[in-house]
Amino acid sequence: MTCFDGLVAESTLWIVIGVSAVAALVMFWTMKFQSFRGKRYYALTFVAMIWTLLMIGLEAASRTFPCQLQWATLAWLGNGLVPVAWCFFVFAYIDNPAWLKKRWVAIVLFVVPMASFLFAATNQWHNLVYTEASFIPPGKDYIEYAHGPGFFGIIAILYTFVLTALFCLVKTFTRAKRTAWPLLTMLIVITTIPLTANAAYVGLGFTIFGLDPTAFMFTLGIFAFTWMLVTNKAMDMAFVGQSVLFNTMSEPVVMIDRHRNITLMNTAAKRSGLPHESGPVLSKIIENIENLNTSEDVAHLTIGQRVYEPRIRELESPLDPSGAALGWSITFVDITDRIAISAALEEALRQADEANKAKDEFISVVSHELRTPLTSLTGGLTLALSGRLGDVADPIRSLLNIAHRNGVRLSRLVDNILLVQKIDIDALILESKPVDLGHLLEESFEENKMFASKRGVQLALGNIMPAVITGDAFAIRQIIDNLISNAIKFSNENSVVEGTLIAMNGQVRLSIKNAGRGIPEGMESQVFGRFEQVENSGQSSTQGSGLGLHISKKLAKQMSGDISYESQLDVGTTFHVEFLLADQQAIEPAQLAG
């Protein structure tokens, strides 16, 4: 403890303590607010450096040989740790290799400085670190050390770590981008200058106030590096990532400051020739940028063979978000392919529309042309079968009956096609009169009894509530006939087709229920499709055009109604037609149709 006597009065010690305190503050601030690889090795380097500085300061403040030798010996804890921790920091900061997580790294960090210290602490027994020739010359205040072979052995081991770190830095420098060169240069300088100062101290006896200059030089270097670490973004993942994204974007991006000057543009913008080939348009955008809020307000830019859509984003000031804008970013989105695709789609739609019109005109013409000969054909067959032209032999009558039935079916198909054409072009005009829906249902059931009997199906009316709707009686009757005919076709033999009519809450629902194979889920588009029928492999062939339900759906919709269905496989299907009830008070009995 006598080595502390009188040290408080030494200015040299206070200078060293001040520098060490600054170093400690820098270390704590860096650890708390900075994020970088190798932080713990960086912290160890700081701790070792501060320890070494304090020991050197105590050595410089002491006046006796034993005390100076004691502080110099304790300094070996820091002397041994600084180069090892710095070496590992360099590797972690540059490459962060997996071997840094090995247990032997921690062992090296402990063993090397501790071995150096123990070897120096036992110098009185072997004199291999400092020989007996070490002394304080007359007229001087510090020891002139005579170094032994052990000293140079320790230095050689420590130099190995320093040179390894230097090799890593030089190798990295050769492959790094120019933006990282200043940071790498500083790391090389920090590593090289203390090494040079120590070599001058060991080989040439160079000192600062009679002390080893290595720690002082390293302290200045690490302060400078800490400042660069704070200000340089070369290893900042977020900054590097943003920079890479900015420069690798395929769309040109231009940054405009509040004075409307172009401050930055990415690689795509430079490569596209944006400032040169679209100068007038770009200048106009920049001039009126405050008034342009959406891309729709901005004219498209054509650069070479490409067309771009400018998208403007205001950059608010982080210090005053509600104040004046910091600037703007303009992203030029390449819409060349989109325009080409849109043009191709428009052309395809135009061609499809023309083809559809041509098809509809062809069907309409053919249907009209078929109508006259079919009328003559069915009329002639009807006349022949009536017997007015004379008796017809049974074989011939059978053939005429087949021809008549097919003629009627063909006439019905032509009528349906013409009806669909009228509906699709909104040319069908329907009446809007009160209609007794129950009466129409009963009529349709009565007239379809013969067709049902031929198919082995019975018709039955269930609950029929009084219901008057507003619509076209002929169109409603056609809907009902289509539903009943459809139910008969798809019913099992000896089953029942049931009709019901329920009115409630201002609406009426007409339901036709059959017992058949049912309709699979998700078949609505086919059920009500044009010229489409649901596959019915489990039943006998059902002849039809695939237009009945399509026409019924369209007619119901035109009269503010709708058709839907419920179905269960192997049980049956129920079709529902829903209309709004008419205002009964405004209807006179004489007005009722049906």
Side-chain angles (χ1 to χ4, degrees), residues 228-429:
M228 287 197 69
L229 193 67
V230 174
T231 58
N232 192 289
K233 299 294 184 179
M235 293 297 288
D236 187 326
M237 187 62 194
F239 179 83
V240 173
Q242 292 172 6
S243 177
V244 169
L245 286 174
F246 181 72
N247 284 299
T248 56
M249 286 179 64
S250 58
E251 294 90 355
V253 181
V254 177
M255 309 299 289
I256 312 296
D257 65 15
R258 67 177 62 184
H259 304 295
R260 293 176 175 77
N261 298 317
I262 297 177
T263 59
L264 185 66
M265 61 175 61
N266 67 352
T267 305
K270 296 174 183 176
R271 191 182 298 121
S272 68
L274 180 66
H276 309 294
E277 298 187 33
S278 299
V281 180
L282 182 60
S283 299
K284 188 175 180 180
I285 291 174
I286 294 173
E287 182 180 350
N288 300 288
I289 198 166
E290 284 185 322
N291 301 320
L292 302 176
N293 297 320
T294 61
S295 58
E296 288 77 7
D297 298 328
V298 187
H300 292 164
L301 278 80
T302 301
I303 306 174
Q305 302 297 319
R306 312 303 295 178
V307 180
Y308 294 91
E309 179 184 87
R311 296 184 182 177
I312 300 170
R313 182 181 180 86
E314 186 177 272
L315 305 177
E316 64 181 24
S317 172
L319 300 178
D320 186 13
S322 60
L326 191 65
W328 298 268
S329 72
I330 308 177
T331 303
F332 296 89
V333 180
D334 191 337
I335 59 171
T336 309
D337 295 336
R338 192 176 77 191
I339 290 176
I341 292 171
S342 297
L345 285 174
E346 289 177 2
E347 178 62 20
L349 288 172
R350 186 188 63 78
Q351 293 180 1
D353 188 53
E354 290 181 356
N356 192 50
K357 288 181 180 178
K359 177 205 67 175
D360 290 343
E361 289 175 3
F362 173 75
I363 292 174
S364 180
V365 170
V366 170
S367 299
H368 279 290
E369 292 298 320
L370 284 174
R371 204 173 208 180
T372 301
L374 277 174
T375 301
S376 300
L377 178 63
T378 54
L381 289 171
T382 302
L383 185 62
L385 289 169
S386 68
R388 295 179 184 178
L389 300 178
D391 293 334
V392 180
D394 288 341
I396 297 175
R397 178 176 291 276
S398 177
L399 293 174
L400 290 176
N401 278 325
I402 293 172
H404 184 264
R405 285 198 302 271
N406 287 331
V408 171
R409 286 182 60 241
L410 189 57
S411 296
R412 189 178 296 116
L413 175 61
V414 170
D415 289 341
N416 283 339
I417 290 173
L418 290 173
L419 181 57
V420 168
Q421 293 298 114
K422 285 184 178 181
I423 292 173
D424 286 346
I425 62 174
D426 296 327
L428 180 65
I429 300 174

Side-chain angles (χ1 to χ4, degrees), residues 21-135:
V22 172
L25 288 173
V26 170
M27 180 188 71
F28 284 120
W29 186 89
T30 305
M31 294 301 104
K32 183 173 179 61
F33 297 106
Q34 294 297 303
S35 177
F36 54 92
R37 294 184 300 199
K39 278 180 69 171
R40 64 173 181 170
Y41 301 114
Y42 193 70
L44 282 174
T45 304
F46 253 105
V47 170
M49 180 188 70
I50 293 170
W51 175 265
T52 303
L53 281 173
L54 288 173
M55 294 305 105
I56 290 175
L58 289 168
E59 182 184 356
S62 300
R63 292 291 177 261
T64 64
F65 180 88
C67 289
Q68 289 187 19
L69 185 61
Q70 173 183 295
W71 301 127
T73 301
L74 288 171
W76 278 105
L77 284 170
N79 290 336
L81 182 58
V82 166
V84 180
W86 181 255
C87 176
F88 289 153
F89 164 71
V90 168
F91 275 100
Y93 190 72
I94 299 299
D95 292 323
N96 198 25
W99 56 260
L100 281 173
K101 297 180 181 179
K102 301 289 186 181
R103 183 177 297 179
W104 63 264
V105 174
I107 294 174
V108 169
L109 282 168
F110 176 78
V111 169
V112 172
M114 187 57 66
S116 302
F117 167 70
L118 292 176
F119 194 59
T122 57
N123 184 74
Q124 57 182 331
W125 297 316
H126 50 70
N127 293 319
L128 294 176
V129 179
Y130 306 116
T131 68
E132 294 178 346
S134 301
F135 71 106

